[in-house]
Amino acid sequence: MTIANAKTVSAGAALPLVETAIDILADLVSFDTVSSKSNIDAIVFVDAYFKRLGAATVRIPAKGQDKENLWVTFGSGQRGGLVLSGHIDVVPIDGQKWTRPPFELTREDGRVYGRGTTDMKGFLACVMAISSQLDLAKLSVPIHVAITFDEEVGHVGAFEMAEYMKSAGIEPAAVIVGEPTRHFVVDRHKGAVGFTTEVYGQEAHSSQVHLGINAIDIAAEVVALLNALRADQRNLPADDAFHYPYPSISVGTIHGGQVRNIVAPACTLEWEMRPILPEQLATMRREFDKRVKMIIANRSKEGMDAPRIVTRCLWNAPPLISDPNSSATALALQATGYNQASGVSYGTEAGVYQQAGFPTVVCGPGDIEQAHIADEWISVSEIEACLKFLERLIARTSDATFQINGG
Ligand SMILES: [Zn+2]
């Protein structure tokens, strides 16, 4: 069965809640919210949905982009309660071999397929569906929903959302980031820090190498330096929460030179670090800058401008750090029935919210292995599990009562 562009969901429709969630998911998937594009059509749709349910909403324009964050509040007050958080942007489909329409929900054999079903419109659809069951009169604390742009490209939206929440004086008991964990409670993950290093040398005819400074040669030294720093990190104690139990450094691209017979004047590296703790990033950067100075000194030639090595940090998504006293962890464990939180290797917006001072965990439907792939999918049973999770979570936070039909 294919559900195409069915923007017909009305609040409290007399369907089993899982069907309501799948109908909403069909609507969400039909908006092409690839990070490079505007998300405003989708935000307008979600905003109208929450408004119909009686929520107070704030559309927060992105700084310098045609995109918005959406902040939604059921109930009143700033203290306590929950923030249910998710990003509405998705990764591109370019170069992937889809056998089903990426921006149309396809339901087959207990699964629904479409871009963003797992990462992470499935969670948002569950939050929207469960919201239709909230008894606002019985909410003792506020339930907020935070929907962000640009998670997939440096968590830009989450930084702006965290700023908004701080300025609004929001003090939730928990921020729940509903990225796919199959409802395991994740209280730690690595950060992700993106760098670009540009190397500038001196152009010359390749028969006159003494008159040039080869930027590719220097970039190769920088690559060797990054490899050495990665090797240094293996001296840290192994952290078995992660498949690769150390901070990592990886060079993703290298572009340099013009043609074979010109000494290359420029070369650019794109690379990243994934720290487990923020101070590991600071230590790495200090050591990197120190050794880069040595490379410049070694490569400088008399009578010529010194080569330049310019390194910019493009984004710094902080790690999520385990906090045994976190109210978010306690609540999520109660709501899932697990007795222990765990770590994952991928990054999420949770580190951004935690760094801003909010107790935060990651817990949501689907498996990360189903994310970002062609024919991305989520199982209907995971959607059902998410609705149950949200029901218990909200009930424990707010003493709210529910009328879950068919659930
Ligand atoms: Zn995601």
Side-chain angles (χ1 to χ4, degrees), residues 167-228:
S167 70
I170 305 296
E171 292 180 38
V175 177
I176 307 290
V177 176
E179 289 276 1
T181 67
R182 290 181 294 135
H183 300 103
F184 287 108
V185 179
V186 166
D187 71 343
R188 54 202 312 228
H189 62 60
K190 292 183 184 181
V193 192
F195 292 98
T196 298
T197 296
E198 293 163 352
V199 180
Y200 300 101
Q202 176 64 53
E203 192 175 64
H205 192 285
S206 61
S207 66
Q208 307 283 319
V209 288
H210 60 293
L211 299 179
I213 297 177
N214 192 319
I216 291 177
D217 288 354
I218 297 175
E221 276 196 63
V222 176
V223 173
L225 162 57
L226 291 170
N227 282 325

Side-chain angles (χ1 to χ4, degrees), residues 187 319-323 326 349-360:
D187 71 343
L320 179 65
I321 302 161
S322 180
D323 171 4
S326 163
E349 297 174 323
V352 177
Y353 291 117
Q354 184 186 55
Q355 191 183 58
F358 305 109
T360 306

Side-chain angles (χ1 to χ4, degrees), residues 87 119-120 151-152 179:
H87 61 86
D119 187 11
M120 60 181 287
E151 187 272 348
E152 302 288 1
E179 289 276 1

Side-chain angles (χ1 to χ4, degrees), residues 100-319:
R100 299 171 178 88
F103 298 109
E104 207 176 279
L105 203 69
T106 305
R107 187 168 179 174
E108 279 171 34
D109 303 329
R111 296 176 174 182
V112 286
Y113 293 84
R115 173 55 88 224
T117 45
T118 280
D119 187 11
M120 60 181 287
K121 290 175 172 175
F123 176 76
L124 293 179
C126 289
V127 170
M128 290 169 74
I130 202 90
S131 298
S132 71
Q133 311 294 308
L134 281 175
D135 185 344
L136 296 185
K138 290 188 177 147
L139 271 187
S140 55
V141 287
I143 305 294
H144 309 281
V145 184
I147 297 176
T148 55
F149 62 90
D150 278 7
E151 187 272 348
E152 302 288 1
V153 286
H155 304 186
V156 184
F159 281 106
E160 294 183 18
M161 182 63 90
E163 223 172 87
Y164 172 82
M165 287 160 59
K166 280 203 287 191
S167 70
I170 305 296
E171 292 180 38
V175 177
I176 307 290
V177 176
E179 289 276 1
T181 67
R182 290 181 294 135
H183 300 103
F184 287 108
V185 179
V186 166
D187 71 343
R188 54 202 312 228
H189 62 60
K190 292 183 184 181
V193 192
F195 292 98
T196 298
T197 296
E198 293 163 352
V199 180
Y200 300 101
Q202 176 64 53
E203 192 175 64
H205 192 285
S206 61
S207 66
Q208 307 283 319
V209 288
H210 60 293
L211 299 179
I213 297 177
N214 192 319
I216 291 177
D217 288 354
I218 297 175
E221 276 196 63
V222 176
V223 173
L225 162 57
L226 291 170
N227 282 325
L229 291 172
R230 185 175 60 206
D232 287 352
Q233 287 161 351
R234 295 182 67 96
N235 296 323
L236 294 167
D239 186 336
D240 294 326
F242 303 107
H243 291 136
Y244 182 74
Y246 309 98
S248 64
I249 292 176
S250 176
V251 180
T253 72
I254 178 163
H255 292 106
Q258 291 155 329
V259 288
R260 194 192 311 269
N261 57 3
I262 296 177
V263 172
C267 188
T268 301
L269 304 173
E270 291 176 308
W271 57 282
E272 61 155 40
M273 179 182 186
R274 293 186 179 248
I276 295 171
L277 298 170
E279 53 267 31
Q280 293 164 344
L281 171 65
T283 306
M284 183 283 296
R285 187 64 204 261
R286 260 197 316 276
E287 196 56 30
F288 177 83
D289 288 343
K290 194 172 93 189
R291 297 202 218 170
V292 157
K293 275 191 190 134
M294 288 158 60
I295 294 174
I296 292 172
N298 290 338
R299 288 282 179 168
S300 294
K301 290 185 178 176
E302 247 185 71
M304 276 188 227
D305 289 341
R308 287 188 301 128
I309 301 177
V310 182
T311 297
R312 283 176 295 127
C313 176
L314 277 73
W315 66 83
N316 180 356

